[in-house]
Amino acid sequence: MTFLAKEQILNIVLNAKDTTYLTHNFHPFPAKFIPQIPNFMIRQFSLKYDTVFDPFCGSGTTLVEGKLLGRNSIGVDIHPLGVFMSKVKITKIPEDELRKVPDLIRIIERRIDSFVLKLHGHKTLLAFMGEHIKNGAFSYVLPDFPNRDHWFQEHVLHELSIIKALIMEADVTPELKDLLLLAFSCVIVPVSNQDSETRYAAIKKEIPPKQPFLLFREKALDMVSRVKQFNQMASDCRVDIYHADSRYLDFLDDNIADLIVTSPPYPNTYDYYLYHKLRMLWLGLDWENAKFNEMGSRLRHSSQKENIDTYMNDMMKCFKHFNRILKPGKPFIIVVGDSIIRKELLKGDAIIRELADKTGFKLVNEVEYNLGYASKTFNPAFRNKTKQEHVILLTCEK
Ligand SMILES: C[S@@+](CC[C@H](N)C(=O)[O-])C[C@H]1O[C@@H](n2cnc3c(N)ncnc32)[C@H](O)[C@@H]1O
């Protein structure tokens, strides 16, 4: 078993330039890995056709890298939108199917234009055609969820509903439909009144008419060109992705993984379920299940005042499964940050050492650096120099 060389890890973390290549830029997600981390770990600690497991796969960074490097992979996450984006990001779509996208976008634009013209009261031919269309086959419904009008301007609600309805009725494969729905999901927060990707508070925004569509078009066309590149570069290795709770992994057999590469939720640092709540409401995904089962959330530790013990107990359940699922002697790479609960600094490496010790993992070595470099954290408040991130190498003893 080799170990983590500090200079090598720091070099990767500090000098990673393009962190959004191929499908990695498909959708925002808090505390994503920079892809260079799983890329390096997979190359260093596994062989072609091995199985790599990420039990907190989030937006699927490890899984995309596994697929690019010719490894099979398994991903689990409690966040339904994370699981959805992971699936889309690892899926190849044939070129002849992708060629349908520009036409579909033109259809959507015509419907949006007629809506926007009516909005301005212009009785042009196009607006007349729009009404005609509305009276004909095409119809859409506005979504219904609490405080909807607090979060969205009225015209935005209509534009998003038109885009979604036309994606849903498009004559395309389910894979392409999912790609388009992910592009749609991307647009939702920027055109809502939500302040930012990691601040769930409403602010006043003036979203111009047609802006939701323009953002959607830009995103969808960019995704299409990236899938074309991904098609060429990705292997045909298998990726199994589960929407599940990593405390309860009985559905996965013993000794099936050759490597674990993961980054768990850090205690009291994020509310993954919350930042994407509006998106999940639009897509009909179960955000409440994510809320109740998310480990380490700020909701649990700041609002509900749970102490570190709940987190440790939950993580212990996860680690016992990881020990069972990983083959004997195989490596477990974990990237974890420090956190603060009730003004007390909790060292991420100390937490992992305690968990490892109690669940049959042996510490090989670790490398640490200041937080903010290695995760694509988009909340500057977390770039606190007193906190560190730790890359820890364990091996499975049993
Ligand atoms: C640091 S993020 C992982 C980000 C990922 N490495 C990426 O590149 O996108 C931690 C993840 O743990 C997930 N999580 C929290 N509680 C969980 C649970 N009980 N079971 C499974 N996943 C959970 C969160 O939804 C989040 O996606």
Side-chain angles (χ1 to χ4, degrees), residues 285-304:
L285 297 171
D286 187 355
W287 68 274
E288 281 173 300
N289 176 59
K291 173 180 173 182
F292 290 119
N293 294 305
E294 182 181 317
M295 299 187 299
S297 61
R298 281 160 61 83
L299 170 79
R300 282 175 179 232
H301 296 289
S302 284
S303 311
Q304 297 169 350

Side-chain angles (χ1 to χ4, degrees), residues 29-33 54-61 76-79 244-247 263-266 272 293-295:
F29 198 80
K32 274 184 190 183
F33 270 146
D54 186 344
F56 303 108
C57 68
S59 63
T61 316
V76 173
D77 207 284
I78 197 65
H79 197 299
D245 186 331
S246 279
R247 291 170 296 179
S263 174
Y266 313 165
Y272 292 95
N293 294 305
E294 182 181 317
M295 299 187 299

